[in-house]
Amino acid sequence: MCLCPSHDDHDPSLHVSLINDKILVHCKVGCSQKDIVTALRTLNLWTSLESHIEPKLRRTNPAQSTATKKPLPTIPPGIFKTRKEKTLSNFWTYKDQAGKVLGHVARYDGNGKKEIIPYFNYKNSQWSPGAPQTPRPLYGLNHITRASKDLTIWIVEGEKCAEALQSLPPGVRRLATTSMGGTNAARLTDWSPLAGRNVRIWPDYDKAGKVYAENVKLQLEGLMPPPTIEMVNVPKLGLKEKEDVFDWLQTHKPDELDKIPIENKKGLKKTCIKGLLETDFKPEELILSPWLPTQGLGMIHARPGVGKTFLAIGIAFAVAAGGKFLKWEAPQARSVLYIDGEMAGDDIKKRYEKIVVEHGFALPSKSLEIITPDINEDILPDIGTKSGQKIVEGQITDECELIILDNLSCLQRTGIENDASGWTVMQEWLLHLKSMGKAVLLIHHSGKGFAQRGTSKREDFLNTILTLKRNPLYEFEEGACFEVHYEKARSVYGPAARPFEAKLDIGEGVWTIRDLKMVTYDQVVKMMREDYKQIEIAQSLGKSRAAISQHVKRAKEKGDL
C-alpha cells in the first residue's frame, strides 16, 4: 500500500500489483484507474514502473533497462515541443519539499547538439522559459525530505543521470539529486536540505565534471552541520571521456553500485607515543605574535566606549601591512576581511585615514577589505543564522587569512546571549572557518563583572581572550586609554603575557604603551602627593595594600616621595 497521487492522501490507500505482466492499480477510496495513471504519468512515475517491473520490456542485460526509450508523459502546458530546429526529448519536474511543482527543465536535441531550457515562470496556467530565483531548488527535493536520514544521497550531473539512479528497480534504486544550470552554477543552489546527511558525489568523466564536483563539495562543506561526503573515484570506472552515470549503467548491473570505487576516505587515525614523537608536524605560524596563530580563534572584549574598535582597526592594518602594533608583531603581511556592524561609514573612514597618515600614506601590501553598514543598502546579514553565514562566506576570498567581526552583538542577532545552546550554530560556523584555513577575531562587549558578556561556552574553544579595562583613575578627556589583560592565551607566557597600558592620541593617530607596573607606580606617587592614604589608594586602584606599600617604599628610595 502507498499514497494515492490522484487525491490528497494521508492514509495509504493505493494498492499496486503485477498480474500476467500487467500493472494493476486500485485506490480503496474510489479514484478511477484512469485518474491514477494520469497522476502517475504527471509525476513521471508510470513509465518507470512499466520499464522496470514488466519483464518483457527488459533487455538481455538487466542494467540496460535504463536505456529503454520511454514515451514522454503528458507535456506540461507551455513547454515547446520544438525549439530552434531541436525537438523536445525529455523534461524533468522540480518540486518543493511538500511535492508542489516549482517548474520544469526541458532537453531539446537536434543537429548533434542539445539545449537545456528551464521553465519556471508560471502564468495563466502556462509555463514559460525562465530560471528560478536563487537559491535554486535541488532536483528530487520532495524525495530527499521523506527519505531516511541514514540513506546515502547521490549527487550527479544532470537530471538524466539522477533519474537513471532513481528509476532502478526496488532494492537497487538510489536516492539521487542534482543542481540545475551546469558546472559553474552549483553556488546558486540551496544545498541546505543535505546538511548532516550522507552524500556521494559522482561527476561526469571530464574536466568540467571535476570542476563541478569540487564546486559542490565546497558548497556542502559550508553547511551546518556539514554532511559526510564521499567522492566516487571516476577514473577507476573505465568510462570514456565525457561519459557519466547513465553510460555506466548501460554496461553494469545495478547491484554493482555497491562496489563503486570511492576516493580515499579520511577516517579517524591514532598513533603511539613513539610515533607521535617521531612525527614532523608543521610548526605553528603566527598572524600576530605572540597570541594569534593561523587558523586561530580569538576574542577581544571591553565595556562600551573603552576603545576596542580602535584596537581592532589597528590590528587589521598591522596584519595586512605586516609590521609592529603595540607590543605585538605581524611577521608577514596577510589578507584581512574586517566586518563592522555598527559604525557610521564616515567614522570608520576617519579612523583608517589616521592610520594611513601615521604609516606615511602607505597602504597595506595585502588586501584589507571592509564590510560596513553604510556601503550596503540593506542591513548586514545575521551571522547567527546559517543563511547569514552563507552570505558572509560569499565575501571571503581564498587569500583571506584573518576575519575580524566587530562586534558580536551587532552581527549575531539571533539567540539569547546567556543561553549556551544559542551559541551552537555560531560555534560550528567558526570551527568551519577554521577548517577553511581562516583565523577569526571576535570583538565583543564585557559584562558587569568585566567578563565577556553572555554564555561562557564562547570561551571554551578560543585560543586567546583579551580584555580591555579602563584605569580606575581614567579621565574622559584621555580618549582611548585602557589596560590590556590576557584572560586566556595558549603558548603565551613570561614577559609577553604581562598586562600593559595602551593609549591613543586620537588627534595624531599615534599609540603609546607602558608596562602596567609603571602605570600603577606613577598613580601611587601622584595620589600620595595629593595626601591620599595608602588604604584609599589601594581601594581606588583595585590593588592590595601590600602592593601599594611596595610602590611607596620604592618611590621613597628613588626620591619621588
Side-chain angles (χ1 to χ4, degrees):
M1 299 294 287
C2 56
L3 296 177
C4 177
S6 186
H7 71 278
D8 188 14
D9 195 1
H10 298 283
D11 183 19
S13 61
L14 181 66
H15 182 266
V16 182
S17 59
L18 179 66
I19 300 177
N20 295 329
D21 295 339
K22 291 184 178 181
I23 303 168
L24 298 181
V25 291
H26 172 70
C27 176
K28 64 181 183 181
V29 174
C31 297
S32 69
Q33 188 173 33
K34 180 179 178 181
D35 289 342
I36 297 171
V37 172
T38 300
L40 288 170
R41 281 178 172 158
T42 301
L43 295 171
N44 202 19
L45 294 175
W46 182 251
T47 52
S48 297
L49 286 169
E50 291 176 328
S51 62
H52 296 304
I53 296 180
E54 293 189 16
K56 292 183 177 179
L57 290 179
R58 292 183 177 169
R59 298 189 178 189
T60 304
N61 183 348
Q64 293 183 347
S65 61
T66 55
T68 303
K69 185 69 175 179
K70 305 173 185 177
L72 284 176
T74 303
I75 300 173
I79 293 184
F80 303 129
K81 293 184 179 180
T82 59
R83 176 184 169 87
K84 298 179 181 179
E85 299 182 353
K86 297 183 182 69
T87 303
L88 177 67
S89 57
N90 211 340
F91 70 87
W92 300 272
T93 300
Y94 278 73
K95 299 179 181 180
D96 65 12
Q97 295 181 346
K100 179 184 176 182
V101 175
L102 299 174
H104 311 273
V105 170
R107 170 172 173 153
Y108 296 87
D109 288 280
N111 300 322
K113 297 181 179 180
K114 70 175 182 180
E115 185 177 14
I116 306 295
I117 302 295
Y119 287 82
F120 278 79
N121 296 325
Y122 190 70
K123 188 176 181 180
N124 298 328
S125 301
Q126 295 278 326
W127 294 97
S128 60
Q133 293 183 342
T134 55
R136 298 171 178 175
L138 288 169
Y139 181 67
L141 185 57
N142 53 320
H143 299 305
I144 293 172
T145 304
R146 297 200 305 264
S148 167
K149 299 298 182 182
D150 297 330
L151 197 62
T152 296
I153 302 169
W154 297 62
I155 302 175
V156 295
E157 271 193 86
E159 296 83 4
K160 177 182 176 182
C161 291
E163 197 60 34
L165 289 174
Q166 292 193 146
S167 298
L168 292 171
V172 291
R173 184 176 300 156
R174 296 296 191 271
L175 179 61
T177 187
T178 190
S179 58
M180 71 176 73
T183 301
N184 296 313
R187 60 186 178 83
L188 303 178
T189 299
D190 179 11
W191 296 94
S192 61
L194 304 186
R197 306 291 289 268
N198 300 315
V199 301
R200 183 171 290 178
I201 304 174
W202 186 343
D204 295 353
Y205 187 35
D206 55 16
K207 184 177 180 180
K210 187 175 182 180
V211 172
Y212 177 75
E214 290 301 323
N215 288 343
V216 170
K217 185 171 180 285
L218 182 64
Q219 297 300 315
L220 295 176
E221 289 174 339
L223 300 177
M224 266 77 65
T228 301
I229 304 171
E230 292 182 332
M231 195 80 72
V232 173
N233 196 331
V234 180
K236 290 188 176 182
L237 296 178
L239 294 172
K240 297 178 182 178
E241 187 175 0
K242 295 188 179 300
E243 287 190 333
D244 54 25
V245 177
F246 184 89
D247 298 309
W248 185 89
L249 285 170
Q250 310 317 305
T251 56
H252 295 77
K253 295 179 180 179
D255 57 12
E256 292 183 57
L257 287 167
D258 294 329
K259 302 175 183 177
I260 284 288
I262 303 299
E263 292 184 3
N264 291 336
K265 297 181 180 179
K266 297 179 181 179
L268 189 64
K269 297 179 180 180
K270 63 181 179 180
T271 184
C272 62
I273 181 64
K274 182 175 183 293
L276 176 69
L277 297 176
E278 293 176 349
T279 300
D280 292 324
F281 293 102
K282 181 181 178 181
E284 182 180 70
E285 296 182 25
L286 291 169
I287 289 179
L288 191 65
S289 177
W291 59 270
L292 185 60
T294 54
Q295 297 179 269
L297 302 175
M299 175 187 286
I300 296 174
H301 67 87
R303 298 295 296 273
V306 170
K308 51 187 176 291
T309 295
F310 280 116
L311 184 68
I313 287 175
I315 291 172
F317 196 95
V319 172
K324 293 184 177 180
F325 177 62
L326 302 183
K327 292 179 65 176
W328 311 316
E329 183 174 7
Q332 68 181 71
R334 301 175 191 267
S335 295
V336 180
L337 174 62
Y338 192 106
I339 305 178
D340 173 79
E342 65 175 340
M343 286 191 65
D346 191 55
D347 286 342
I348 198 167
K349 173 185 174 182
K350 288 177 180 177
R351 294 189 182 190
Y352 275 109
E353 281 178 341
K354 295 283 178 63
I355 296 176
V356 172
V357 171
E358 173 64 15
H359 282 75
F361 297 93
L363 294 176
S365 58
K366 290 290 186 178
S367 67
L368 170 51
E369 297 181 316
I370 300 157
I371 296 175
T372 189
D374 281 1
I375 62 173
N376 289 274
E377 296 179 0
D378 298 324
I379 62 173
L380 297 188
D382 181 355
I383 62 172
T385 65
K386 293 180 180 180
S387 59
Q389 293 166 1
K390 193 170 185 179
I391 292 172
V392 170
E393 280 192 47
Q395 300 299 320
I396 301 173
T397 63
D398 293 339
E399 294 75 22
C400 176
E401 294 190 57
L402 173 62
I403 302 161
I404 300 179
L405 302 175
D406 182 12
N407 60 63
L408 199 55
S409 297
C410 291
L411 296 173
Q412 185 204 356
R413 300 183 291 277
T414 298
I416 302 172
E417 278 195 332
N418 292 321
D419 183 8
S421 62
W423 177 247
T424 302
V425 172
M426 188 67 185
Q427 178 172 308
E428 288 177 346
W429 184 53
L430 294 175
L431 292 174
H432 169 65
L433 293 176
K434 177 184 175 75
S435 72
M436 292 172 60
K438 315 300 180 186
V440 183
L441 180 59
L442 305 174
I443 311 301
H444 190 34
H445 293 303
S446 298
K448 294 180 180 179
F450 292 102
Q452 62 87 18
R453 195 171 73 189
T455 174
S456 61
K457 187 177 180 180
R458 290 195 182 104
E459 305 168 9
D460 295 343
F461 68 106
L462 299 177
N463 297 83
T464 309
I465 302 175
L466 303 182
T467 180
L468 313 182
K469 299 178 181 178
R470 278 181 177 157
N471 189 284
L473 303 182
Y474 171 82
E475 300 288 345
F476 190 75
E477 57 266 24
E478 293 183 65
C481 181
F482 47 78
E483 301 172 2
V484 180
H485 295 263
Y486 289 93
E487 281 187 11
K488 179 180 180 181
R490 296 173 183 168
S491 303
V492 181
Y493 49 87
R498 290 175 184 165
F500 61 93
E501 179 192 73
K503 185 174 183 179
L504 172 65
D505 183 328
I506 296 178
E508 299 296 327
V510 178
W511 287 90
T512 56
I513 57 174
R514 288 196 300 167
D515 187 281
L516 207 53
K517 286 186 177 181
M518 289 303 301
V519 174
T520 304
Y521 174 84
D522 291 345
Q523 289 172 332
V524 169
V525 171
K526 180 182 177 182
M527 295 181 75
M528 287 291 293
R529 288 174 178 174
E530 294 174 355
D531 295 328
Y532 282 89
K533 296 180 179 179
Q534 290 190 27
I535 188 171
E536 294 173 330
I537 297 174
Q539 291 172 346
S540 297
L541 299 182
K543 306 292 183 180
S544 68
R545 292 179 65 181
I548 300 302
S549 179
Q550 289 179 353
H551 284 301
V552 171
K553 181 180 178 180
R554 181 184 171 203
K556 289 179 177 179
E557 291 173 350
K558 292 178 63 176
D560 291 334
L561 288 177

